[in-house]
Amino acid sequence: MPQRRPAPPAAVRRPPWPRLTGLGGGLFCAAVMLVLGLLTETLFGASQTVYGVLFLPVSVLTALWLREEDVLIGPVVVPIAFAVGLVPVAGTGDGGTGDRLMGMVTGLATQAGWLYGGTLVAGVIVLVRRVRWVRRVREADRRPAARPARPAVRDR
């Protein structure tokens, strides 16, 4: 009777990571950045630096949680989500739509370092994941297909 290996303890097993489609990743990133923008406005007085710092982990999570087939969308949705979340943080004056729009333009200009940094981090993670996925697919294609077992020949 073959021996079975014991299952690894629960502390060793890694929990499954969410796998988001391209659309799901974009919605996740935009929703989280909007919530973080609202929280930043409420708790930190619309500090764009705090918002920029919070943008980096969201970029990393978005790049890690996308499915391998949709991973190339990561560096596209991350800057869009940054702009979506910047709406509550930018233009906190009494002006209205024009004031909010001018705050958005100013916020995108002054916080470009955080925007580029998060996009760069997501881009690097996406490229590494994509290269690894392509190598796995190519290696699987190179392996010879499993041959069907021949029926045993009996001696008569």
Side-chain angles (χ1 to χ4, degrees):
M1 184 167 167
Q3 293 182 351
R4 300 176 88 191
R5 292 189 304 179
V12 175
R13 282 183 265 165
R14 191 171 67 178
W17 289 35
R19 290 292 172 216
L20 302 172
T21 62
L23 177 62
L27 291 174
F28 162 77
C29 193
V32 169
M33 290 311 299
L34 184 61
V35 168
L36 289 177
L38 291 169
L39 285 174
T40 301
E41 180 186 20
T42 305
L43 300 176
F44 300 104
S47 171
Q48 292 183 358
T49 303
V50 171
Y51 176 75
V53 169
L54 294 173
F55 173 64
L56 295 178
V58 174
S59 299
V60 170
L61 288 177
T62 301
L64 288 175
W65 287 354
L66 286 169
R67 293 185 319 172
E68 277 129 1
E69 296 85 7
D70 297 331
V71 77
L72 293 179
I73 198 73
V76 175
V77 299
V78 166
I80 295 170
F82 183 87
V84 167
L86 194 61
V87 170
V89 178
T92 58
D94 297 333
T97 306
D99 186 36
R100 181 106 19 212
L101 184 61
M102 188 53 99
M104 283 286 298
V105 171
T106 304
L108 288 171
T110 59
Q111 301 304 316
W114 295 112
L115 177 59
Y116 291 152
T119 306
L120 179 67
V121 167
V124 168
I125 291 171
V126 160
L127 285 176
V128 168
R129 288 188 61 209
R130 184 66 177 194
V131 166
R132 290 177 64 197
W133 181 68
V134 167
R135 283 184 182 167
R136 264 194 316 246
V137 168
R138 284 185 182 168
E139 199 165 298
D141 289 343
R142 285 184 195 155
R143 284 189 216 131
R147 295 181 184 172
R150 292 187 196 177
V153 178
R154 293 186 196 174
D155 291 331
R156 292 187 189 198

